[in-house]
Amino acid sequence: SQQGEEDPQALSIQEGENATMNCSYKTSINNLQWYRQNSGRGLVHLILIRSNEREKHSGRLRVTLDTSKKSSSLLITASRAADTASYFCLCGAGGTSYGKLTFGQGTILTVHP
Amino acid sequence: ETGVTQTPRHLVMGMTNKKSLKCEQHLGHNAMYWYKQSAKKPLELMFVYNFKEQTENNSVPSRFSPECPNSSHLFLHLHTLQPEDSALYLCASSQDITRIDEKLFFGSGTQLSVL
């Protein structure tokens, strides 16, 4: 199965600062997705970037993808206390990997007011 | 509200009990998933159903028994669980597992404690 590995495991910043977290993977992908999870809740889809895209924006989120390095980064600009959550990447691959969508351990982001 | 509803939100059960977790989606999706999230572990994909047919069973012990009577409902039947089965059980749905840009929609989960 495809599994991304997030880095760092934990990130602590002040409100207003930018937060950057990374995801690395090992095999080819069709897309890479980022999800957020508030404590004890389900995951929420944030953004999807396709393998032929290099950068994508959505509000305060900026995602980059470097398929040569097999890595992606998620940047949250001007962070807020409400951004405190765990963030996961998900590698979407086609072919026989359909239906085997697996997550890494995530990055725990804490934004201090 | 994601359109995926899980009940109950919390469940405490003894090792000899039988209980069921329920998931319902109102998104018109055809694929449904069970994930297990234990403390300090990655989310573990347990089962996948596509058009009511089970497509994945990731070596899950038989004390967990899934049921998908239709594309909108998914159950996880539990019996003779162990304390290490205590975890957050998450249900998700997506349009169809054969789509390339498949996005998952999650329920809020059932926090299960096995005593």
Side-chain angles (χ1 to χ4, degrees):
Chain A
S1 63
Q2 293 281 354
Q3 183 169 329
E5 296 293 335
E6 296 89 350
D7 155 62
Q9 289 190 3
L11 181 60
S12 183
I13 60 174
Q14 294 296 126
E15 211 167 25
E17 294 180 343
N18 295 341
T20 300
M21 50 207 90
N22 306 294
C23 172
S24 59
Y25 57 93
K26 294 182 178 175
T27 58
S28 63
I29 60 172
N30 284 319
N31 65 72
L32 190 139
Q33 306 174 36
W34 286 92
Y35 288 78
R36 184 188 76 227
Q37 183 183 31
N38 289 90
S39 181
R41 310 291 291 184
L43 282 73
V44 175
H45 182 268
L46 294 176
I47 193 166
L48 179 151
I49 185 166
R50 296 188 174 91
S51 58
N52 61 355
E53 297 175 313
R54 291 296 166 259
E55 187 171 313
K56 199 161 182 180
H57 297 255
S58 177
R60 293 184 295 113
L61 304 180
R62 174 178 167 250
V63 171
T64 61
L65 180 63
D66 187 336
T67 52
S68 66
K69 294 181 179 177
K70 292 186 167 55
S71 68
S72 172
S73 67
L74 171 67
L75 168 67
I76 304 174
T77 60
S79 63
R80 305 167 182 167
D83 295 327
T84 295
S86 294
Y87 291 81
F88 297 86
C89 65
L90 177 68
C91 301
T96 57
S97 294
Y98 286 136
K100 295 182 181 179
L101 301 177
T102 56
F103 295 83
Q105 285 198 274
T107 292
I108 299 172
L109 172 65
T110 303
V111 181
H112 300 281
Chain B
E1 182 59 52
T2 63
V4 180
T5 303
Q6 286 187 247
T7 54
R9 281 285 289 127
H10 301 274
L11 179 63
V12 179
M13 60 187 289
M15 290 190 284
T16 58
N17 291 158
K18 289 185 181 180
K19 296 285 184 184
S20 295
L21 309 185
K22 180 182 176 182
C23 178
E24 183 174 2
Q25 56 96 2
H26 306 277
L27 301 168
H29 289 167
N30 297 301
M32 297 189 79
Y33 309 73
W34 279 116
Y35 283 88
K36 175 185 177 183
Q37 187 175 34
S38 305
K40 299 181 180 178
K41 280 188 173 181
L43 279 99
E44 301 171 52
L45 179 62
M46 300 175 73
F47 302 104
V48 181
Y49 280 82
N50 200 47
F51 291 93
K52 301 190 297 178
E53 298 296 321
Q54 187 177 123
T55 60
E56 293 292 330
N57 176 342
N58 281 342
S59 303
V60 180
S62 60
R63 57 186 184 270
F64 295 92
S65 174
E67 179 190 1
C68 188
N70 54 61
S71 292
S72 299
H73 293 86
L74 183 65
F75 296 89
L76 187 62
H77 303 300
L78 316 171
H79 64 98
T80 58
L81 294 192
Q82 304 298 312
E84 60 264 29
D85 296 322
S86 298
L88 181 66
Y89 288 84
L90 292 165
C91 171
S93 72
S94 67
Q95 186 63 50
D96 177 342
I97 64 169
T98 62
R99 287 165 59 100
I100 292 176
D101 289 351
E102 198 64 344
K103 299 172 191 175
L104 296 173
F105 293 78
F106 283 82
S108 295
T110 294
Q111 186 66 55
L112 174 68
S113 297
V114 181
L115 305 178

